[in-house]
Amino acid sequence: MSEETKQIYYGKLLNQKWPIYLAATDKGICFVGSLNGGKTELNEWLKKINAIDLAKHNPDKLAYCVNQLEEYFKGERTHFHLPLDIKGTPFQEKVWAELLNIPYGGTLTYGELAKRIGNPRASRAVGTAIGKNPLLILIPCHRVSHKNGQVSGYRGPINMKVDLLALEKQKRKSLIVK
């Protein structure tokens, strides 16, 4: 998130299956929580970035993001068109940018992602950077798996990652069949 940020707005996606907290600045989305992470997860993130006093409940400021996430969960959206406002280390930002290149319904291993960013021995560092991703779903870290193919490592609950992969796999099959 940018240093100039003065205000953070938060709200909750009220989807029955996917209740998650979201936060944004006037520049863009800065946080997407995990499945059932609740307001506690949002508050922990706000404390981590020293912004707990900057947060105001304002779901209207997040309506554009909520709409796109709802479409995604219904299988109607495969790409997001949202302004983002995140800040990480140069390495984290490089990893997060590469995550955006993993196609909908596709997966990569941590090692493959490390190779893609030009640092083939950095698979553990890639995993750490992925774990710091503040925008679950929007920056699709759920599309990265262990080299043995197992679903592992996720900021949210592992069942969220499994469900997101299943949602995308099912939709991708229907797109190919048509």
Side-chain angles (χ1 to χ4, degrees), residues 32-44:
V32 175
S34 63
L35 180 62
N36 296 319
K39 193 164 180 202
T40 301
E41 180 186 30
L42 172 67
N43 286 334
E44 287 172 10

Side-chain angles (χ1 to χ4, degrees), residues 109-172:
T109 66
Y110 294 96
E112 290 169 330
L113 191 59
K115 286 177 190 168
R116 281 190 175 191
I117 64 165
N119 204 338
R121 294 183 179 191
S123 58
R124 285 181 190 234
V126 162
T128 300
I130 289 171
K132 306 254 187 214
N133 172 15
L135 296 176
L136 295 182
I137 306 166
L138 303 182
I139 296 179
C141 54
H142 60 277
R143 296 179 188 157
V144 182
S145 62
H146 192 270
K147 66 182 173 186
N148 65 11
Q150 288 190 322
V151 176
S152 64
Y154 196 58
R155 180 171 62 84
I158 203 72
N159 66 312
M160 180 179 179
K161 184 172 183 172
V162 170
D163 288 350
L164 290 170
L165 290 169
L167 171 80
E168 290 185 9
K169 189 177 220 176
Q170 178 184 13
K171 176 63 179 173
R172 189 169 185 179

Side-chain angles (χ1 to χ4, degrees), residues 86-119:
I86 56 171
K87 182 78 174 137
T89 66
F91 183 79
Q92 288 169 339
E93 290 180 7
K94 191 173 189 179
V95 170
W96 299 339
E98 192 58 40
L99 288 170
L100 293 170
N101 293 322
I102 303 172
Y104 180 90
T107 58
L108 283 181
T109 66
Y110 294 96
E112 290 169 330
L113 191 59
K115 286 177 190 168
R116 281 190 175 191
I117 64 165
N119 204 338

Side-chain angles (χ1 to χ4, degrees), residues 78-89:
T78 60
H79 294 87
F80 295 99
H81 302 287
L82 297 165
L84 308 180
D85 186 9
I86 56 171
K87 182 78 174 137
T89 66

